[in-house]
Amino acid sequence: MLAYTFRRILAAIPVMVTVAVFVFLLLRLTPGDPAAIIAGDMATPEQLEKIRTSLGLDKPIAVQFFSWFWLLLQGDLGTSLISNTPVTAMISKHIEPTISLALMTITLSVLIAVPLGVLAAWRHGTWIDYAVMSVSVIGFSVPVFVIGYILIQIFAIDLKWFPVQGFKSLSAGLGAFLERAVLPSFTLASIYVALIARMTRASVLEVLGEDYIRTARAKGLRENIVLFRHALRNAAVPVLTIIGTGFALLISGVVVTESVFNIPGIGRLTVDAILARDYPVIQGMILLTSGIYVLINLLIDLSYSFFDPRIRY
């Protein structure tokens, strides 16, 4: 197990280096001048040149890359060109809302979707199966911002159960955090419940036709044990893939929900940095997202080997 884990970690290093090179070159070779954005429309050529020199933008691309990569190895993501704030400090300030929202969303999605998917597979071809699949289609079809506004209208404006917008940290208390996290979490969960439920249904339905399931039933095991201990465990690999990928997508793709509910997360930070062509912030956010993807993939691989030991070999 340790050797398998070590091999997976080694395989992730070239991926991150490739991402770093690609991100650096992509941002540097796209049209536009960050010095012009910082200086404004009325800046003189001399002022622009002075800003480029102070930022190191007048140096060759290779020199810029190795200087940036050396600082990156030391944990320094640079300083924002616009706010003159360290990128690590900006990410630390904005990452808690996004991580909290993503964790709560994926927890709700798994707790709701996996039992629904197992139930739909168990009752395949009945009204229960059709009902679960219909809800899944609706979850895929309706845009997330529409669901968000509907929930705000019903539960925040009409019933006044929750605040309309905003975010409270866990340090402010569990009640205050949940009060503002419930609506955005259910908004995002509507998509992932549909996705995870469909995958769970398909995987469990395939496993239920195997010989060992018939043997388990023939031995007189209770149906819930057959479904959750035997069928679901053997159908877990594709389900885990969807759950892990969904969590990684949540980290990088919550910008719409953050905008609807006015949550100061990393999605909004990324959009603001892109609009301002703030190279260090964009690079830091992409590297953070890539690192999360690599970490999630590593955890998924390790969980694969737990459910199916053959994968280690």
Side-chain angles (χ1 to χ4, degrees), residues 179-243:
E179 188 179 39
R180 289 164 175 79
V182 166
L183 289 184
S185 296
F186 271 100
T187 299
L188 281 171
S190 62
I191 298 175
Y192 292 99
V193 164
L195 183 64
I196 296 171
R198 288 176 67 90
M199 179 57 69
T200 304
R201 173 188 175 273
S203 299
V204 173
L205 191 60
E206 181 180 357
V207 169
L208 286 177
E210 298 292 336
D211 292 338
Y212 57 83
I213 297 296
R214 286 193 292 270
T215 302
R217 284 171 171 163
K219 290 167 61 178
L221 294 179
R222 295 195 304 270
E223 193 66 16
N224 63 326
I225 295 179
V226 172
L227 288 173
F228 288 95
R229 182 180 298 177
H230 296 279
L232 183 58
R233 177 166 183 172
N234 286 280
V237 169
V239 177
L240 286 171
T241 303
I242 292 297
I243 294 173

Short mmCIF file of all heavy atoms in Angstrom, two decimals, residues 179-243:
data_model
loop_
_atom_site.label_atom_id
_atom_site.label_comp_id
_atom_site.label_asym_id
_atom_site.label_seq_id
_atom_site.Cartn_x
_atom_site.Cartn_y
_atom_site.Cartn_z
N GLU A 179 -27.01 28.85 8.94
CA GLU A 179 -28.09 29.73 8.51
C GLU A 179 -27.83 30.32 7.13
O GLU A 179 -28.75 30.50 6.33
CB GLU A 179 -28.27 30.85 9.55
CG GLU A 179 -29.49 31.72 9.32
CD GLU A 179 -29.62 32.79 10.37
OE1 GLU A 179 -28.58 33.36 10.78
OE2 GLU A 179 -30.75 33.06 10.80
N ARG A 180 -26.55 30.61 6.85
CA ARG A 180 -26.19 31.22 5.58
C ARG A 180 -25.64 30.22 4.56
O ARG A 180 -25.48 30.58 3.39
CB ARG A 180 -25.17 32.34 5.81
CG ARG A 180 -25.78 33.55 6.49
CD ARG A 180 -24.73 34.48 7.07
NE ARG A 180 -25.35 35.68 7.61
CZ ARG A 180 -25.96 35.74 8.80
NH1 ARG A 180 -26.03 34.66 9.57
NH2 ARG A 180 -26.50 36.88 9.22
N ALA A 181 -25.35 29.01 4.99
CA ALA A 181 -24.78 28.02 4.08
C ALA A 181 -25.81 27.05 3.52
O ALA A 181 -25.53 26.38 2.52
CB ALA A 181 -23.67 27.23 4.79
N VAL A 182 -26.99 26.97 4.13
CA VAL A 182 -27.98 25.97 3.72
C VAL A 182 -28.46 26.23 2.29
O VAL A 182 -28.44 25.32 1.45
CB VAL A 182 -29.17 25.96 4.70
CG1 VAL A 182 -30.35 25.21 4.10
CG2 VAL A 182 -28.76 25.31 6.01
N LEU A 183 -28.88 27.44 1.99
CA LEU A 183 -29.43 27.72 0.66
C LEU A 183 -28.40 27.53 -0.46
O LEU A 183 -28.69 26.84 -1.45
CB LEU A 183 -30.04 29.12 0.61
CG LEU A 183 -31.33 29.32 1.40
CD1 LEU A 183 -31.88 30.74 1.18
CD2 LEU A 183 -32.37 28.30 1.02
N PRO A 184 -27.20 28.12 -0.37
CA PRO A 184 -26.23 27.88 -1.45
C PRO A 184 -25.80 26.41 -1.55
O PRO A 184 -25.55 25.92 -2.65
CB PRO A 184 -25.04 28.77 -1.08
CG PRO A 184 -25.22 29.14 0.33
CD PRO A 184 -26.70 29.13 0.57
N SER A 185 -25.75 25.70 -0.43
CA SER A 185 -25.36 24.29 -0.48
C SER A 185 -26.42 23.46 -1.19
O SER A 185 -26.11 22.61 -2.03
CB SER A 185 -25.14 23.75 0.94
OG SER A 185 -24.06 24.39 1.57
N PHE A 186 -27.69 23.70 -0.88
CA PHE A 186 -28.75 22.96 -1.56
C PHE A 186 -28.85 23.36 -3.03
O PHE A 186 -29.22 22.54 -3.87
CB PHE A 186 -30.09 23.19 -0.86
CG PHE A 186 -30.37 22.22 0.24
CD1 PHE A 186 -30.15 22.56 1.57
CD2 PHE A 186 -30.82 20.94 -0.05
CE1 PHE A 186 -30.40 21.66 2.58
CE2 PHE A 186 -31.07 20.03 0.96
CZ PHE A 186 -30.85 20.38 2.29
N THR A 187 -28.50 24.61 -3.33
CA THR A 187 -28.49 25.05 -4.73
C THR A 187 -27.49 24.24 -5.54
O THR A 187 -27.79 23.71 -6.62
CB THR A 187 -28.15 26.55 -4.81
OG1 THR A 187 -29.15 27.30 -4.12
CG2 THR A 187 -28.10 27.01 -6.26
N LEU A 188 -26.27 24.13 -5.03
CA LEU A 188 -25.24 23.36 -5.73
C LEU A 188 -25.52 21.85 -5.66
O LEU A 188 -25.27 21.12 -6.62
CB LEU A 188 -23.87 23.65 -5.11
CG LEU A 188 -23.19 24.94 -5.54
CD1 LEU A 188 -21.96 25.20 -4.68
CD2 LEU A 188 -22.80 24.89 -7.00
N ALA A 189 -26.08 21.41 -4.54
CA ALA A 189 -26.33 19.97 -4.38
C ALA A 189 -27.36 19.46 -5.37
O ALA A 189 -27.37 18.27 -5.70
CB ALA A 189 -26.79 19.67 -2.95
N SER A 190 -28.24 20.33 -5.86
CA SER A 190 -29.27 19.88 -6.81
C SER A 190 -28.64 19.27 -8.05
O SER A 190 -29.18 18.31 -8.63
CB SER A 190 -30.16 21.06 -7.21
OG SER A 190 -29.40 22.08 -7.85
N ILE A 191 -27.49 19.79 -8.47
CA ILE A 191 -26.80 19.25 -9.64
C ILE A 191 -26.11 17.94 -9.30
O ILE A 191 -26.22 16.94 -10.03
CB ILE A 191 -25.78 20.27 -10.18
CG1 ILE A 191 -26.49 21.55 -10.62
CG2 ILE A 191 -24.97 19.68 -11.33
CD1 ILE A 191 -25.55 22.64 -11.05
N TYR A 192 -25.40 17.92 -8.19
CA TYR A 192 -24.59 16.75 -7.87
C TYR A 192 -25.43 15.59 -7.35
O TYR A 192 -25.02 14.43 -7.50
CB TYR A 192 -23.50 17.16 -6.87
CG TYR A 192 -22.50 18.07 -7.52
CD1 TYR A 192 -22.56 19.45 -7.36
CD2 TYR A 192 -21.52 17.56 -8.36
CE1 TYR A 192 -21.67 20.29 -7.98
CE2 TYR A 192 -20.62 18.40 -8.99
CZ TYR A 192 -20.70 19.76 -8.80
OH TYR A 192 -19.82 20.59 -9.44
N VAL A 193 -26.56 15.87 -6.74
CA VAL A 193 -27.48 14.78 -6.38
C VAL A 193 -27.93 14.05 -7.64
O VAL A 193 -27.95 12.81 -7.69
CB VAL A 193 -28.69 15.33 -5.61
CG1 VAL A 193 -29.82 14.30 -5.57
CG2 VAL A 193 -28.29 15.71 -4.19
N ALA A 194 -28.28 14.81 -8.67
CA ALA A 194 -28.69 14.19 -9.93
C ALA A 194 -27.57 13.35 -10.53
O ALA A 194 -27.79 12.21 -10.96
CB ALA A 194 -29.13 15.28 -10.92
N LEU A 195 -26.36 13.90 -10.54
CA LEU A 195 -25.22 13.19 -11.14
C LEU A 195 -24.87 11.92 -10.37
O LEU A 195 -24.72 10.84 -10.95
CB LEU A 195 -24.02 14.14 -11.20
CG LEU A 195 -22.75 13.63 -11.85
CD1 LEU A 195 -22.99 13.35 -13.33
CD2 LEU A 195 -21.63 14.64 -11.68
N ILE A 196 -24.75 12.04 -9.05
CA ILE A 196 -24.34 10.89 -8.23
C ILE A 196 -25.44 9.83 -8.19
O ILE A 196 -25.15 8.62 -8.23
CB ILE A 196 -23.96 11.36 -6.81
CG1 ILE A 196 -22.74 12.29 -6.87
CG2 ILE A 196 -23.67 10.17 -5.91
CD1 ILE A 196 -22.43 12.98 -5.55
N ALA A 197 -26.69 10.25 -8.14
CA ALA A 197 -27.79 9.29 -8.11
C ALA A 197 -27.84 8.46 -9.39
O ALA A 197 -28.04 7.24 -9.35
CB ALA A 197 -29.12 10.01 -7.89
N ARG A 198 -27.66 9.09 -10.54
CA ARG A 198 -27.69 8.37 -11.80
C ARG A 198 -26.53 7.36 -11.89
O ARG A 198 -26.71 6.22 -12.33
CB ARG A 198 -27.63 9.35 -12.98
CG ARG A 198 -28.91 10.13 -13.17
CD ARG A 198 -28.76 11.15 -14.28
NE ARG A 198 -28.60 10.49 -15.58
CZ ARG A 198 -29.61 10.17 -16.37
NH1 ARG A 198 -30.86 10.43 -16.02
NH2 ARG A 198 -29.40 9.59 -17.54
N MET A 199 -25.34 7.80 -11.48
CA MET A 199 -24.19 6.90 -11.53
C MET A 199 -24.34 5.74 -10.55
O MET A 199 -24.01 4.59 -10.86
CB MET A 199 -22.90 7.68 -11.24
CG MET A 199 -21.65 6.82 -11.26
SD MET A 199 -21.42 5.96 -12.84
CE MET A 199 -21.04 7.36 -13.92
N THR A 200 -24.85 6.04 -9.35
CA THR A 200 -25.06 4.98 -8.36
C THR A 200 -26.08 3.97 -8.87
O THR A 200 -25.89 2.75 -8.74
CB THR A 200 -25.55 5.58 -7.02
OG1 THR A 200 -24.61 6.56 -6.57
CG2 THR A 200 -25.71 4.50 -5.97
N ARG A 201 -27.16 4.45 -9.44
CA ARG A 201 -28.19 3.56 -9.97
C ARG A 201 -27.60 2.64 -11.05
O ARG A 201 -27.82 1.42 -11.03
CB ARG A 201 -29.34 4.37 -10.56
CG ARG A 201 -30.39 3.53 -11.29
CD ARG A 201 -31.38 4.44 -12.00
NE ARG A 201 -32.33 3.67 -12.80
CZ ARG A 201 -32.14 3.28 -14.04
NH1 ARG A 201 -30.98 3.57 -14.65
NH2 ARG A 201 -33.07 2.60 -14.70
N ALA A 202 -26.86 3.23 -12.00
CA ALA A 202 -26.31 2.43 -13.10
C ALA A 202 -25.32 1.39 -12.58
O ALA A 202 -25.33 0.23 -13.02
CB ALA A 202 -25.63 3.35 -14.11
N SER A 203 -24.47 1.78 -11.63
CA SER A 203 -23.45 0.85 -11.12
C SER A 203 -24.07 -0.27 -10.31
O SER A 203 -23.71 -1.45 -10.46
CB SER A 203 -22.43 1.62 -10.27
OG SER A 203 -21.78 2.61 -11.04
N VAL A 204 -24.99 0.09 -9.41
CA VAL A 204 -25.63 -0.93 -8.57
C VAL A 204 -26.50 -1.85 -9.42
O VAL A 204 -26.54 -3.07 -9.19
CB VAL A 204 -26.46 -0.26 -7.46
CG1 VAL A 204 -27.28 -1.30 -6.69
CG2 VAL A 204 -25.55 0.50 -6.50
N LEU A 205 -27.18 -1.29 -10.41
CA LEU A 205 -28.03 -2.11 -11.28
C LEU A 205 -27.20 -3.17 -12.02
O LEU A 205 -27.63 -4.31 -12.19
CB LEU A 205 -28.75 -1.21 -12.28
CG LEU A 205 -29.88 -1.84 -13.10
CD1 LEU A 205 -30.97 -2.38 -12.20
CD2 LEU A 205 -30.44 -0.83 -14.08
N GLU A 206 -25.99 -2.79 -12.43
CA GLU A 206 -25.12 -3.75 -13.10
C GLU A 206 -24.66 -4.85 -12.15
O GLU A 206 -24.61 -6.04 -12.51
CB GLU A 206 -23.92 -3.02 -13.69
CG GLU A 206 -22.95 -3.90 -14.44
CD GLU A 206 -21.77 -3.11 -15.02
OE1 GLU A 206 -21.75 -1.88 -14.88
OE2 GLU A 206 -20.86 -3.76 -15.59
N VAL A 207 -24.34 -4.47 -10.92
CA VAL A 207 -23.85 -5.44 -9.95
C VAL A 207 -24.95 -6.39 -9.49
O VAL A 207 -24.68 -7.57 -9.19
CB VAL A 207 -23.24 -4.69 -8.74
CG1 VAL A 207 -22.95 -5.64 -7.59
CG2 VAL A 207 -21.95 -3.98 -9.16
N LEU A 208 -26.18 -5.90 -9.42
CA LEU A 208 -27.27 -6.74 -8.93
C LEU A 208 -27.52 -7.98 -9.80
O LEU A 208 -28.18 -8.92 -9.36
CB LEU A 208 -28.57 -5.91 -8.84
CG LEU A 208 -28.64 -4.92 -7.69
CD1 LEU A 208 -29.93 -4.12 -7.74
CD2 LEU A 208 -28.51 -5.62 -6.34
N GLY A 209 -27.00 -8.00 -11.01
CA GLY A 209 -27.15 -9.17 -11.87
C GLY A 209 -26.04 -10.18 -11.73
O GLY A 209 -26.04 -11.21 -12.42
N GLU A 210 -25.08 -9.93 -10.84
CA GLU A 210 -23.95 -10.84 -10.68
C GLU A 210 -24.34 -12.09 -9.86
O GLU A 210 -25.29 -12.08 -9.07
CB GLU A 210 -22.78 -10.12 -10.00
CG GLU A 210 -22.23 -8.95 -10.79
CD GLU A 210 -21.53 -9.38 -12.06
OE1 GLU A 210 -21.08 -10.54 -12.13
OE2 GLU A 210 -21.45 -8.55 -12.99
N ASP A 211 -23.54 -13.13 -10.04
CA ASP A 211 -23.83 -14.39 -9.37
C ASP A 211 -23.71 -14.29 -7.86
O ASP A 211 -24.49 -14.91 -7.13
CB ASP A 211 -22.88 -15.49 -9.88
CG ASP A 211 -23.15 -15.86 -11.33
OD1 ASP A 211 -24.29 -15.61 -11.80
OD2 ASP A 211 -22.23 -16.40 -11.99
N TYR A 212 -22.74 -13.52 -7.36
CA TYR A 212 -22.55 -13.47 -5.91
C TYR A 212 -23.72 -12.76 -5.21
O TYR A 212 -23.96 -12.98 -4.02
CB TYR A 212 -21.21 -12.81 -5.54
CG TYR A 212 -21.01 -11.41 -6.07
CD1 TYR A 212 -21.53 -10.31 -5.39
CD2 TYR A 212 -20.27 -11.19 -7.22
CE1 TYR A 212 -21.32 -9.02 -5.87
CE2 TYR A 212 -20.06 -9.92 -7.70
CZ TYR A 212 -20.59 -8.83 -7.02
OH TYR A 212 -20.39 -7.56 -7.50
N ILE A 213 -24.45 -11.90 -5.93
CA ILE A 213 -25.63 -11.28 -5.34
C ILE A 213 -26.74 -12.33 -5.20
O ILE A 213 -27.43 -12.40 -4.16
CB ILE A 213 -26.11 -10.10 -6.21
CG1 ILE A 213 -25.04 -9.00 -6.25
CG2 ILE A 213 -27.43 -9.55 -5.67
CD1 ILE A 213 -24.75 -8.37 -4.91
N ARG A 214 -26.91 -13.16 -6.23
CA ARG A 214 -27.90 -14.23 -6.13
C ARG A 214 -27.52 -15.22 -5.01
O ARG A 214 -28.40 -15.73 -4.29
CB ARG A 214 -28.01 -14.97 -7.47
CG ARG A 214 -28.75 -14.15 -8.54
CD ARG A 214 -29.11 -15.04 -9.73
NE ARG A 214 -27.91 -15.46 -10.47
CZ ARG A 214 -27.39 -14.78 -11.48
NH1 ARG A 214 -27.95 -13.63 -11.86
NH2 ARG A 214 -26.31 -15.22 -12.10
N THR A 215 -26.23 -15.48 -4.86
CA THR A 215 -25.78 -16.37 -3.78
C THR A 215 -26.08 -15.77 -2.42
O THR A 215 -26.54 -16.48 -1.50
CB THR A 215 -24.27 -16.64 -3.92
OG1 THR A 215 -24.00 -17.21 -5.21
CG2 THR A 215 -23.79 -17.57 -2.83
N ALA A 216 -25.83 -14.46 -2.28
CA ALA A 216 -26.10 -13.79 -0.99
C ALA A 216 -27.58 -13.87 -0.65
O ALA A 216 -27.96 -14.11 0.52
CB ALA A 216 -25.63 -12.34 -1.06
N ARG A 217 -28.43 -13.66 -1.64
CA ARG A 217 -29.86 -13.75 -1.39
C ARG A 217 -30.28 -15.18 -1.08
O ARG A 217 -31.15 -15.43 -0.24
CB ARG A 217 -30.62 -13.21 -2.61
CG ARG A 217 -30.60 -11.68 -2.71
CD ARG A 217 -31.16 -11.20 -4.01
NE ARG A 217 -31.33 -9.73 -4.02
CZ ARG A 217 -31.48 -9.01 -5.11
NH1 ARG A 217 -31.48 -9.61 -6.32
NH2 ARG A 217 -31.65 -7.70 -5.02
N ALA A 218 -29.66 -16.13 -1.79
CA ALA A 218 -29.99 -17.54 -1.54
C ALA A 218 -29.59 -17.98 -0.14
O ALA A 218 -30.21 -18.89 0.44
CB ALA A 218 -29.30 -18.42 -2.59
N LYS A 219 -28.58 -17.36 0.44
CA LYS A 219 -28.15 -17.68 1.80
C LYS A 219 -29.07 -17.09 2.86
O LYS A 219 -28.91 -17.35 4.05
CB LYS A 219 -26.72 -17.18 2.03
CG LYS A 219 -25.67 -17.95 1.24
CD LYS A 219 -24.33 -17.24 1.24
CE LYS A 219 -23.77 -17.08 2.64
NZ LYS A 219 -22.43 -16.43 2.62
N GLY A 220 -30.03 -16.26 2.41
CA GLY A 220 -31.01 -15.70 3.33
C GLY A 220 -30.62 -14.39 3.96
O GLY A 220 -31.21 -13.98 4.97
N LEU A 221 -29.62 -13.69 3.40
CA LEU A 221 -29.23 -12.40 3.94
C LEU A 221 -30.34 -11.38 3.73
O LEU A 221 -31.07 -11.43 2.73
CB LEU A 221 -27.94 -11.91 3.26
CG LEU A 221 -26.68 -12.71 3.52
CD1 LEU A 221 -25.50 -12.12 2.75
CD2 LEU A 221 -26.36 -12.77 5.00
N ARG A 222 -30.44 -10.46 4.69
CA ARG A 222 -31.44 -9.40 4.54
C ARG A 222 -31.14 -8.55 3.32
O ARG A 222 -29.98 -8.34 2.97
CB ARG A 222 -31.50 -8.54 5.80
CG ARG A 222 -31.97 -9.29 7.05
CD ARG A 222 -32.35 -8.32 8.16
NE ARG A 222 -31.21 -7.43 8.46
CZ ARG A 222 -30.28 -7.71 9.36
NH1 ARG A 222 -30.31 -8.88 10.01
NH2 ARG A 222 -29.31 -6.87 9.60
N GLU A 223 -32.18 -7.97 2.73
CA GLU A 223 -32.02 -7.22 1.49
C GLU A 223 -31.16 -5.98 1.67
O GLU A 223 -30.38 -5.62 0.79
CB GLU A 223 -33.40 -6.82 0.94
CG GLU A 223 -33.37 -6.32 -0.50
CD GLU A 223 -32.97 -7.38 -1.50
OE1 GLU A 223 -32.99 -8.60 -1.14
OE2 GLU A 223 -32.64 -7.03 -2.64
N ASN A 224 -31.27 -5.32 2.83
CA ASN A 224 -30.43 -4.13 3.05
C ASN A 224 -28.96 -4.49 3.12
O ASN A 224 -28.09 -3.73 2.68
CB ASN A 224 -30.88 -3.39 4.30
CG ASN A 224 -30.72 -4.22 5.56
OD1 ASN A 224 -30.88 -5.44 5.53
ND2 ASN A 224 -30.40 -3.58 6.67
N ILE A 225 -28.64 -5.67 3.65
CA ILE A 225 -27.24 -6.12 3.69
C ILE A 225 -26.75 -6.45 2.28
O ILE A 225 -25.63 -6.11 1.89
CB ILE A 225 -27.09 -7.34 4.62
CG1 ILE A 225 -27.41 -6.94 6.06
CG2 ILE A 225 -25.69 -7.92 4.52
CD1 ILE A 225 -27.33 -8.08 7.05
N VAL A 226 -27.60 -7.09 1.51
CA VAL A 226 -27.24 -7.41 0.12
C VAL A 226 -26.97 -6.13 -0.67
O VAL A 226 -25.99 -6.03 -1.42
CB VAL A 226 -28.36 -8.23 -0.55
CG1 VAL A 226 -28.07 -8.40 -2.04
CG2 VAL A 226 -28.50 -9.58 0.12
N LEU A 227 -27.84 -5.14 -0.48
CA LEU A 227 -27.72 -3.91 -1.27
C LEU A 227 -26.51 -3.08 -0.86
O LEU A 227 -25.74 -2.64 -1.72
CB LEU A 227 -29.00 -3.07 -1.12
CG LEU A 227 -30.26 -3.59 -1.82
CD1 LEU A 227 -31.47 -2.76 -1.45
CD2 LEU A 227 -30.06 -3.59 -3.32
N PHE A 228 -26.34 -2.86 0.43
CA PHE A 228 -25.32 -1.90 0.86
C PHE A 228 -23.96 -2.54 1.17
O PHE A 228 -22.93 -1.90 0.98
CB PHE A 228 -25.82 -1.13 2.10
CG PHE A 228 -26.91 -0.14 1.78
CD1 PHE A 228 -28.24 -0.48 1.91
CD2 PHE A 228 -26.60 1.13 1.32
CE1 PHE A 228 -29.23 0.42 1.61
CE2 PHE A 228 -27.58 2.03 1.00
CZ PHE A 228 -28.92 1.68 1.14
N ARG A 229 -23.95 -3.78 1.63
CA ARG A 229 -22.66 -4.39 1.94
C ARG A 229 -22.05 -5.08 0.72
O ARG A 229 -20.84 -5.04 0.54
CB ARG A 229 -22.81 -5.40 3.08
CG ARG A 229 -21.48 -6.03 3.49
CD ARG A 229 -21.66 -7.02 4.61
NE ARG A 229 -22.16 -6.39 5.82
CZ ARG A 229 -22.45 -7.05 6.95
NH1 ARG A 229 -22.31 -8.38 6.98
NH2 ARG A 229 -22.90 -6.41 8.01
N HIS A 230 -22.86 -5.70 -0.09
CA HIS A 230 -22.35 -6.45 -1.23
C HIS A 230 -22.46 -5.67 -2.54
O HIS A 230 -21.47 -5.50 -3.26
CB HIS A 230 -23.07 -7.80 -1.34
CG HIS A 230 -22.84 -8.71 -0.18
ND1 HIS A 230 -21.71 -9.48 -0.06
CD2 HIS A 230 -23.58 -8.95 0.92
CE1 HIS A 230 -21.76 -10.18 1.07
NE2 HIS A 230 -22.89 -9.87 1.69
N ALA A 231 -23.65 -5.19 -2.86
CA ALA A 231 -23.84 -4.52 -4.16
C ALA A 231 -23.17 -3.16 -4.20
O ALA A 231 -22.39 -2.86 -5.12
CB ALA A 231 -25.34 -4.39 -4.45
N LEU A 232 -23.43 -2.32 -3.20
CA LEU A 232 -22.89 -0.95 -3.24
C LEU A 232 -21.38 -0.94 -3.14
O LEU A 232 -20.71 -0.16 -3.84
CB LEU A 232 -23.50 -0.12 -2.12
CG LEU A 232 -23.07 1.36 -2.08
CD1 LEU A 232 -23.43 2.06 -3.38
CD2 LEU A 232 -23.72 2.08 -0.89
N ARG A 233 -20.80 -1.80 -2.32
CA ARG A 233 -19.34 -1.81 -2.19
C ARG A 233 -18.68 -2.21 -3.50
O ARG A 233 -17.68 -1.61 -3.90
CB ARG A 233 -18.91 -2.76 -1.08
CG ARG A 233 -17.41 -2.86 -0.95
CD ARG A 233 -16.96 -3.51 0.32
NE ARG A 233 -15.51 -3.51 0.42
CZ ARG A 233 -14.83 -3.87 1.50
NH1 ARG A 233 -15.48 -4.26 2.59
NH2 ARG A 233 -13.52 -3.86 1.51
N ASN A 234 -19.24 -3.18 -4.20
CA ASN A 234 -18.65 -3.60 -5.47
C ASN A 234 -18.96 -2.63 -6.61
O ASN A 234 -18.30 -2.69 -7.65
CB ASN A 234 -19.15 -5.00 -5.83
CG ASN A 234 -18.51 -6.08 -4.97
OD1 ASN A 234 -17.39 -6.50 -5.21
ND2 ASN A 234 -19.22 -6.51 -3.94
N ALA A 235 -19.94 -1.76 -6.40
CA ALA A 235 -20.26 -0.75 -7.41
C ALA A 235 -19.65 0.60 -7.07
O ALA A 235 -19.95 1.60 -7.72
CB ALA A 235 -21.78 -0.61 -7.53
N ALA A 236 -18.77 0.64 -6.05
CA ALA A 236 -18.33 1.92 -5.50
C ALA A 236 -17.31 2.65 -6.36
O ALA A 236 -17.20 3.87 -6.27
CB ALA A 236 -17.74 1.70 -4.11
N VAL A 237 -16.54 1.94 -7.20
CA VAL A 237 -15.45 2.60 -7.93
C VAL A 237 -15.95 3.73 -8.84
O VAL A 237 -15.47 4.86 -8.74
CB VAL A 237 -14.63 1.55 -8.72
CG1 VAL A 237 -13.68 2.24 -9.69
CG2 VAL A 237 -13.86 0.67 -7.76
N PRO A 238 -16.91 3.51 -9.74
CA PRO A 238 -17.39 4.63 -10.55
C PRO A 238 -18.10 5.70 -9.74
O PRO A 238 -18.04 6.89 -10.07
CB PRO A 238 -18.34 3.98 -11.56
CG PRO A 238 -18.70 2.67 -10.97
CD PRO A 238 -17.53 2.23 -10.17
N VAL A 239 -18.77 5.31 -8.64
CA VAL A 239 -19.44 6.29 -7.79
C VAL A 239 -18.42 7.19 -7.11
O VAL A 239 -18.58 8.42 -7.03
CB VAL A 239 -20.33 5.58 -6.74
CG1 VAL A 239 -20.97 6.60 -5.80
CG2 VAL A 239 -21.40 4.74 -7.43
N LEU A 240 -17.33 6.60 -6.62
CA LEU A 240 -16.26 7.39 -6.00
C LEU A 240 -15.63 8.36 -7.00
O LEU A 240 -15.25 9.48 -6.65
CB LEU A 240 -15.19 6.47 -5.42
CG LEU A 240 -15.55 5.73 -4.14
CD1 LEU A 240 -14.49 4.70 -3.81
CD2 LEU A 240 -15.72 6.71 -2.99
N THR A 241 -15.51 7.92 -8.24
CA THR A 241 -14.96 8.79 -9.27
C THR A 241 -15.82 10.04 -9.44
O THR A 241 -15.30 11.17 -9.50
CB THR A 241 -14.87 8.04 -10.61
OG1 THR A 241 -14.08 6.88 -10.44
CG2 THR A 241 -14.24 8.92 -11.68
N ILE A 242 -17.13 9.85 -9.50
CA ILE A 242 -18.04 10.98 -9.66
C ILE A 242 -18.01 11.89 -8.45
O ILE A 242 -17.99 13.12 -8.57
CB ILE A 242 -19.47 10.46 -9.92
CG1 ILE A 242 -19.55 9.80 -11.29
CG2 ILE A 242 -20.48 11.60 -9.84
CD1 ILE A 242 -19.28 10.73 -12.44
N ILE A 243 -17.97 11.30 -7.25
CA ILE A 243 -17.94 12.11 -6.03
C ILE A 243 -16.66 12.93 -5.95
O ILE A 243 -16.69 14.13 -5.65
CB ILE A 243 -18.09 11.21 -4.79
CG1 ILE A 243 -19.48 10.56 -4.77
CG2 ILE A 243 -17.84 12.00 -3.51
CD1 ILE A 243 -19.66 9.53 -3.67
#
